[in-house]
């Protein structure tokens, strides 16, 4: 599979498109004014403890207080709070990391938030979910710093290895290796892409994460709530960190400076891939050049067409998303109804899984597949969905088809859903659904003509063919009457793209005359 990353940079932010075999599979939008990115660490201020919800609301600078549930406090919350107090007071040196820090006892899993956060004013928290709709950010105190190959987790000594690394021998090698490298009082999670990497590569990644932790400690010294003490990398480098693989063969951006920054970042994490970065300088917008704009328009509407005539209807409610699979004219295919249903459902499964990633749909998703009676076919369809969803980085759960051929999927949502309007404003009514009385159109044209006749030597009128035919009709026609009255011949050009009430005047230089 060939993967490409196309990045459109604008003064207000960047749009990132991930293509897999030229098909748009992920679209990310990052705005420069977004202060609350997943992974950012804040020194927040506890505003309210809610024992009934077993949660607390924390001020991190958003208009809505952020939500922190007891289960997100982290078993090491007492260590987090002690570390925060000592670092803010300047009693812990960043260079020492946690070497001389005394780890506190863990809290119990079934406790209540009021027993932990009572009378505590400041708290070190990390953004777990970005603000969505009317909700503020969701927080965690289980701090972690993600690198290319490793994830650094403070206040514990555990070393974990990704379960996606199949070889037991390789998992054991990585665990022993990382245990010999990690600093005191820090745990480490070994990511899937670390498979096969040597000690030097992993040690370099670990040193980078240690430097980030030290930066956070320096920012925390003397800080007062509310303060951001560590920023997560931007989405582009975050995607490269998580996704960069041998299948990536192209990264293109329309910003030369940004291209250089990406190249420098790749040179650090994967030097062998630095040549895949290039900058685009063409006149056509970069998303148009690579066919992304057209795919966006075709993918974000309520109706999504699938090759061979079938289509999806995607509806959104407050609590869930509903996707209806329709066979369209595929209902007339040769073969039995059961085999046709399976073919359509299998094709729909691929597109649905792409839509989940592309729109970043989260929460509960209910899919109404075309009815199938065979239990074997239902199992085949469920396995198809599981196989395609393997490429989805978001945590998800897939339930078997019910007797009504409904499939339920839960998918983690950490950022606001991407919602792009695929409709365009009507050029005739301007989106209002109303136009001026057509009976008065000719009077309007003639009023404008009176205004322009003395200031331009030649005039051309562009209008809809129906209006053009009306102006030439009869003897004498309206155009001939204008010639006799104003002593000037007005050329009429018909344009089928114009709305029926749309018209424009052009001068002798073929430049449009703007009418107020």
């Amino acid at each position: 599979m060939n993967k490409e990353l196309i990045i459109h940079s604008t003064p207000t932010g960047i749009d990132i498109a991930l293509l897999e075999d030229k098909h748009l599979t992920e679209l990310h939008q990052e705005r420069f004014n977004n202060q609350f990115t997943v992974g950012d660490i804040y020194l927040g201020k506890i505003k309210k403890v809610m024992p009934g919800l077993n949660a607390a609301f924390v001020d991190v600078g958003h208009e809505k207080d952020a939500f922190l549930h007891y289960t997100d406090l982290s078993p090491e919350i007492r260590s987090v709070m002690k570390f925060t107090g000592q670092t803010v007071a300047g009693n812990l040196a960043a260079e020492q990391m946690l070497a001389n820090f005394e780890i506190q006892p863990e809290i119990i899993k079934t406790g209540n938030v009021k027993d932990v956060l009572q009378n505590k004013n400041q708290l070190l928290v990390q953004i777990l979910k970005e603000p969505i709709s009317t909700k503020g950010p969701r927080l965690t105190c289980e701090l972690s710093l993600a690198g290319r190959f490793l994830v650094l987790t403070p206040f514990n000594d555990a070393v974990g290895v990704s379960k996606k690394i199949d070889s037991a021998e390789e998992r054991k090698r990585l665990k022993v290796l990382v245990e010999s490298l990690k600093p005191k009082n820090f745990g480490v999670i070994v990511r899937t892409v670390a498979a096969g990497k040597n000690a030097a590569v992993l040690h370099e990644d670990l040193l980078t994460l240690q430097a980030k932790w030290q930066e956070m400690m320096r920012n925390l010294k003397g800080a007062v709530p509310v303060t951001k003490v560590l920023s997560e990398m931007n989405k582009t480098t975050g995607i490269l960190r998580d996704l960069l693989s041998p299948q990536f063969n192209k990264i293109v951006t329309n910003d030369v400076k940004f291209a250089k920054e990406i190249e420098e970042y790749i040179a650090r994490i994967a030097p062998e891939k630095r040549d895949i970065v290039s900058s685009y300088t063409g006149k056509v917008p970069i998303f148009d050049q690579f066919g992304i704009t057209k795919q966006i328009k075709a993918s974000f509407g309520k109706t999504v067409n699938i090759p061979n005539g079938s289509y999806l209807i995607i509806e959104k409610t407050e609590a869930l998303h509903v996707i209806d699979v329709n066979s369209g004219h595929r209902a007339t295919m040769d073969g039995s109804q059961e085999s046709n249903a399976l073919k359509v459902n299998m094709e729909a499964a691929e597109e649905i899984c792409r839509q989940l990633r592309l729109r970043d749909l989260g929460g509960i998703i209910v899919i109404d597949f075309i009815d199938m009676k065979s239990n074997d076919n239902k199992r085949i369809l469920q396995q198809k969905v599981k196989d395609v969803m393997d490429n989805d980085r978001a945590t998800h759960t897939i339930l078997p088809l019910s007797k009504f051929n409904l499939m339920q999927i839960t998918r983690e949502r950490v950022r606001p859903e991407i919602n792009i309007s695929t409709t365009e404003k009507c050029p005739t009514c301007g989106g209002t659904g109303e136009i001026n009385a057509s009976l008065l159109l000719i009077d309007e044209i003639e009023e404008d003509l009176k205004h322009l006749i003395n200031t331009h030597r030649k005039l051309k009128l562009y209008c809809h063919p129906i209006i053009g035919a009306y102006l030439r009709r009869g003897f004498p026609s309206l155009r001939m009457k204008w010639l006799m009255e104003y002593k000037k011949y007005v050329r009429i050009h018909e344009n089928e793209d114009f709305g029926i009430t749309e018209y424009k005047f052009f001068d002798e230089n073929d430049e449009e005359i703007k009418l107020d």
Side-chain angles (χ1 to χ4, degrees):
M1 179 183 294
N2 292 324
K3 294 184 178 181
E4 301 171 71
L5 209 62
I6 312 300
I7 305 166
H8 178 219
S9 179
T10 68
T12 58
I14 54 176
D15 296 325
I16 307 161
L18 175 64
L19 304 181
E20 295 180 354
D21 293 334
K22 303 297 181 182
H23 294 291
L24 181 65
T25 54
E26 290 186 24
L27 184 66
H28 301 269
Q29 297 176 330
E30 181 177 10
R31 295 296 168 256
F32 296 142
N33 60 355
N34 182 20
Q35 297 180 324
F36 305 95
T37 302
V38 173
D40 286 350
I41 298 178
Y42 282 81
L43 179 63
K45 184 176 183 180
I46 300 173
K47 298 298 289 291
K48 190 181 294 184
V49 176
M50 307 287 288
L53 294 175
N54 204 13
F57 288 95
V58 182
D59 180 11
V60 292
H62 191 262
E63 59 183 350
K64 297 279 188 178
D65 288 337
F67 183 78
L68 175 64
H69 194 267
Y70 182 86
T71 54
D72 294 318
L73 280 181
S74 165
E76 298 85 17
I77 182 61
R78 291 193 176 99
S79 296
V80 174
M81 292 190 292
K82 180 180 178 182
F83 165 82
T84 304
Q86 291 185 355
T87 307
V88 169
N91 297 330
L92 284 181
E95 294 72 21
Q96 292 295 314
M97 301 281 286
L98 297 177
N100 301 323
F101 182 79
E102 184 181 349
I103 301 296
Q104 301 298 297
E106 295 183 358
I107 61 172
I108 61 174
K109 294 182 179 179
T110 56
N112 194 283
V113 68
K114 66 181 175 60
D115 300 325
V116 180
L117 299 184
Q118 191 173 22
N119 300 323
K120 300 295 182 181
N121 189 36
Q122 62 184 17
L123 192 63
L124 194 62
V125 293
Q126 190 167 25
I127 303 294
L128 186 63
K129 291 185 179 182
E130 294 179 8
I132 298 174
S133 186
T134 59
K135 300 177 182 177
R138 180 155 184 173
L139 306 176
T140 180
C141 291
E142 200 158 356
L143 307 178
S144 63
L145 302 180
R148 169 70 172 148
F149 304 109
L150 307 172
V151 178
L152 195 65
T153 58
F155 311 114
N156 68 78
D157 284 306
V159 174
V161 181
S162 169
K163 294 180 181 179
K164 292 185 179 180
I165 299 177
D166 297 325
S167 170
E169 185 177 336
E170 176 64 7
R171 287 164 59 88
K172 183 178 179 181
R173 180 188 77 87
L174 290 169
K175 185 169 184 177
V176 171
L177 180 58
V178 171
E179 282 178 341
S180 67
L181 296 173
K182 76 176 189 65
K184 184 181 177 182
N185 289 334
F186 279 92
V188 175
I189 300 170
V190 182
R191 308 183 71 177
T192 308
V193 289
K197 301 301 179 183
N198 58 35
V201 172
L202 298 182
H203 189 223
E204 184 180 355
D205 197 41
L206 189 57
L207 289 175
T208 301
L209 295 177
Q210 289 179 227
K212 288 181 69 175
W213 180 261
Q214 291 170 332
E215 177 191 351
M216 186 203 74
M217 289 185 69
R218 286 190 289 269
N219 294 336
L220 193 57
K221 183 178 179 180
V224 295
V226 172
T227 304
K228 182 191 288 188
V229 293
L230 189 68
S231 293
E232 171 66 304
M233 60 181 61
N234 61 48
K235 283 188 180 179
T236 306
T237 49
I239 290 170
L240 290 174
R241 179 193 67 197
D242 296 341
L243 292 182
L244 193 63
S245 64
Q247 287 81 26
F248 260 95
N249 59 7
K250 186 184 292 185
I251 300 173
V252 187
T253 177
N254 61 335
D255 188 321
V256 177
K257 182 180 177 182
F258 195 30
K260 202 165 191 66
E261 292 176 4
I262 296 172
E263 188 175 343
E264 290 172 356
Y265 177 73
I266 291 181
R268 294 199 303 271
I269 67 169
E272 72 281 1
K273 304 292 288 183
R274 65 183 302 170
D275 294 336
I276 67 175
V277 183
S278 62
S279 57
Y280 173 76
T281 57
K283 294 182 178 179
V284 178
I286 187 169
F287 272 15
D288 292 352
Q289 177 68 24
F290 288 89
I292 296 169
T293 303
K294 185 176 180 180
Q295 291 194 56
I296 290 173
K297 291 289 187 182
S299 301
F300 276 89
K302 176 181 174 181
T303 302
V304 178
N305 292 318
I306 304 173
N308 301 321
S310 50
Y311 61 95
L312 308 175
I313 301 292
I314 302 178
E315 297 273 12
K316 175 186 176 182
T317 71
E318 182 65 26
L320 53 80
H321 294 84
V322 180
I323 302 176
D324 183 31
V325 179
N326 292 273
S327 60
H329 62 70
R330 289 289 295 271
T332 60
M333 288 169 44
D334 295 334
S336 68
Q337 190 276 335
E338 184 76 10
S339 64
N340 288 345
L342 179 61
K343 288 178 183 177
V344 173
N345 286 339
M346 295 287 276
E347 292 173 0
E350 284 200 30
E351 181 60 29
I352 288 169
C353 296
R354 185 179 82 98
Q355 287 289 327
L356 299 187
R357 293 174 63 191
L358 186 57
R359 302 187 189 211
D360 203 8
L361 302 184
I364 301 173
I365 298 121
V366 178
I367 306 167
D368 182 10
F369 284 105
I370 297 173
D371 288 349
M372 297 186 298
K373 296 180 180 179
S374 168
N375 289 329
D376 288 339
N377 287 343
K378 291 181 180 181
R379 283 191 289 269
I380 291 171
L381 178 59
Q382 183 186 3
Q383 188 60 48
K384 174 70 172 180
V385 174
K386 287 183 176 179
D387 291 343
V388 181
M389 289 287 283
D390 278 344
N391 294 323
D392 194 340
R393 291 176 292 146
T395 304
H396 57 269
T397 303
I398 302 168
L399 298 183
L401 267 76
S402 71
K403 65 179 181 179
F404 300 114
N405 279 271
L406 299 176
M407 178 179 287
Q408 296 180 63
I409 298 176
T410 60
R411 185 175 183 274
E412 178 188 32
R413 179 170 61 177
V414 297
R415 296 184 178 89
E417 173 189 334
I418 293 181
N419 188 15
I420 296 176
S421 175
T422 58
T423 59
E424 298 177 357
K425 187 178 288 188
C426 170
T428 301
C429 70
T432 64
E434 299 177 348
I435 61 174
N436 293 333
S438 55
L439 286 172
L440 304 178
L441 177 63
I442 302 302
D443 292 340
E444 290 177 13
I445 294 175
E446 192 160 356
E447 284 298 319
D448 290 335
L449 182 61
K450 289 178 183 178
H451 176 69
L452 300 173
I453 205 75
N454 295 321
T455 56
H456 294 81
R457 290 192 303 109
K458 293 182 180 179
L459 288 174
K460 298 176 183 177
L461 173 64
Y462 284 74
C463 60
H464 190 276
I466 292 176
I467 302 302
Y470 181 80
L471 294 175
R472 295 191 186 93
R473 187 187 64 174
F475 186 83
S477 65
L478 278 174
R479 184 173 61 174
M480 291 181 66
K481 291 179 181 178
W482 292 344
L483 175 62
M484 290 185 287
E485 183 174 352
Y486 305 118
K487 310 302 185 218
K488 280 192 180 177
Y489 183 76
V490 179
R491 293 186 178 276
I492 297 175
H493 297 266
E494 298 173 357
N495 190 328
E496 293 183 355
D497 292 333
F498 277 34
I500 192 167
T501 61
E502 185 181 6
Y503 65 91
K504 295 178 181 178
F505 281 101
F506 287 75
D507 61 18
E508 60 271 14
N509 299 318
D510 286 329
E511 295 182 357
E512 183 182 350
I513 303 170
K514 298 294 183 181
L515 296 166
D516 296 331

